[in-house]
Amino acid sequence: MTAQTLYPAERGNLRLSFEYFPPKTDEMEAQLFQTADDLSAFGPAFITVTYGAGGSTKARSLTTVRRLIAESGFANTAAHLTCVGAPKAEVDAVIDEYLSFGVRHFVALRGDPQGGIGSTYQPHPEGYASSTDLVRAIRARGDDIEISVSSYPEKHPESPDVAADIDMLKRKVDAGATRALTQFFFDNNDFERYLERVRRAGVNIPIVPGILPINNLAQVQKFAGLCGATVPEAIVTRLVHLEDQPVERFKEATHIAAEQIVDLARRGVRDFHIYSMNRTPLVTAVLDLVGFERASVEAVGAIDAPRMVAAGAAA
């Protein structure tokens, strides 16, 4: 696909959200806040901050979310929360702490088994048994709270089939979920088939595709293998021979993610959740190539949604 075909004919509003992870060092902290500031120019509908399995990054997640809201002005920050490896009282305390400094949007997840991906999940004997129970606990705090949950176009690695995944999603919706953010995927046909099945099952909340620009092919392949996602051979072929050509690799990775977003937009998708990996350059290059309009410095923070610009307006 060439650059000239990356601008869809329609100019309808598209909405973005970005995912960040809590930093482990002072240097990583500076990078996170710089990335969040840079990407705010695209007017995200919200941003999210992850939360480690078993609460392994709980303190850093709490601190990061609090700072993003109180110091950086990102009032639309959503807090990830898991229930694995913790009693209800501990999880409830985290929910209430987030609420105390302004969080009104949660991403409710069960969390990976404490033994790691691939091991058997065991609920804490005094904890919430599943993400459905966690959603219900958050919803009890107020009807105005947004609750996003996970969904899996290629099915969760622990699920026997996609039907079981969709049944789980239905239970989360019945418990109060208002949006689903998908695991990353690279074949838009997988997403479209999944969405059709979700709608046939009577699930009508927004299903937002998760987009992962490929900074490092080997890392993405490894992660995909762990979480049940697939990196198509066509994408591997486009990138693998460029490992020692960083400039060309960056350009090709930019085109791959931009092509995916534009194709989804042409299929009617209007919301996109971008896994930023706390890095600005590739995400920014992708969004510029797609044609998302950047806000002026003065307007950042006052924008509800980014807009597609006229064909040819982006370099």
Side-chain angles (χ1 to χ4, degrees):
M1 186 176 287
T2 63
Q4 285 76 12
T5 65
L6 290 176
Y7 304 102
E10 76 276 10
R11 299 290 177 258
N13 286 341
L14 302 182
R15 292 171 294 273
L16 294 170
S17 56
F18 299 113
E19 181 169 301
Y20 304 110
F21 59 84
K24 296 181 179 180
T25 66
D26 290 345
E27 183 180 3
M28 292 174 68
E29 182 176 66
Q31 178 177 308
L32 163 62
F33 282 90
Q34 184 61 58
T35 299
D37 185 60
D38 291 342
L39 296 182
S40 68
F42 292 101
F46 59 91
I47 62 175
T48 76
V49 178
T50 64
Y51 187 89
S56 60
T57 62
K58 179 178 72 173
R60 291 194 298 271
S61 297
L62 285 162
T63 299
T64 301
V65 171
R66 184 177 65 247
R67 286 193 59 199
L68 284 167
I69 293 174
E71 299 176 22
S72 300
F74 291 101
N76 58 351
T77 300
H80 285 227
L81 188 62
T82 67
C83 57
V84 66
K88 291 180 181 179
E90 182 179 319
V91 176
D92 289 345
V94 174
I95 296 172
D96 293 335
E97 186 168 0
Y98 274 132
L99 291 171
S100 73
F101 48 76
V103 172
R104 304 306 294 175
H105 184 177
F106 289 87
V107 181
L109 310 166
R110 188 201 69 184
D112 295 328
Q114 288 187 289
I117 297 176
S119 62
T120 302
Y121 171 71
Q122 293 291 339
H124 190 284
E126 298 175 4
Y128 292 109
S130 68
S131 54
T132 299
D133 293 333
L134 180 58
V135 169
R136 192 174 290 112
I138 297 171
R139 176 56 64 219
R141 264 71 175 182
D143 291 336
D144 63 324
I145 298 173
E146 288 191 71
I147 305 176
S148 295
V149 294
S150 58
S151 64
Y152 303 85
E154 298 176 83
K155 92 174 185 61
H156 190 281
E158 296 176 31
S159 294
D161 50 44
V162 174
D165 263 4
I166 294 175
D167 184 62
M168 174 61 72
L169 179 59
K170 288 178 65 176
R171 291 200 292 271
K172 289 186 283 191
V173 172
D174 290 343
T178 54
R179 176 191 294 100
L181 306 174
T182 80
Q183 178 61 272
F184 69 84
F185 61 92
F186 297 101
D187 187 335
N188 289 348
N189 291 328
D190 288 338
F191 175 78
E192 190 166 44
R193 283 190 293 266
Y194 174 75
L195 185 60
E196 289 172 355
R197 294 186 64 173
V198 165
R199 297 305 185 219
R200 286 201 303 269
V203 175
N204 295 312
I205 63 171
I207 309 295
V208 182
I211 306 297
L212 177 63
I214 302 176
N215 278 289
N216 183 303
L217 177 60
Q219 287 182 355
V220 169
Q221 287 177 303
K222 180 179 179 180
F223 187 41
L226 292 172
C227 65
T230 302
V231 183
E233 189 59 35
I235 288 179
V236 174
T237 299
R238 290 175 66 174
L239 290 172
V240 70
H241 68 287
L242 299 174
E243 288 304 302
D244 60 347
Q245 302 176 55
V247 173
E248 292 302 314
R249 184 180 71 244
F250 182 93
K251 184 184 298 184
E252 193 66 21
T254 300
H255 277 257
I256 288 170
E259 290 163 15
Q260 182 178 17
I261 291 172
V262 169
D263 181 62
L264 286 168
R266 288 173 174 169
R267 299 182 192 215
V269 174
R270 288 292 173 265
D271 297 272
F272 300 88
H273 188 62
I274 312 295
Y275 294 102
S276 75
M277 305 306 293
N278 290 12
R279 297 178 180 178
T280 298
L282 183 54
V283 175
T284 297
V286 169
L287 298 180
D288 283 342
L289 185 56
V290 170
F292 280 99
E293 185 178 52
R294 295 199 201 195
S296 64
V297 174
E298 294 77 12
V300 169
I303 295 177
D304 292 326
R307 293 183 290 114
M308 295 298 295
V309 299

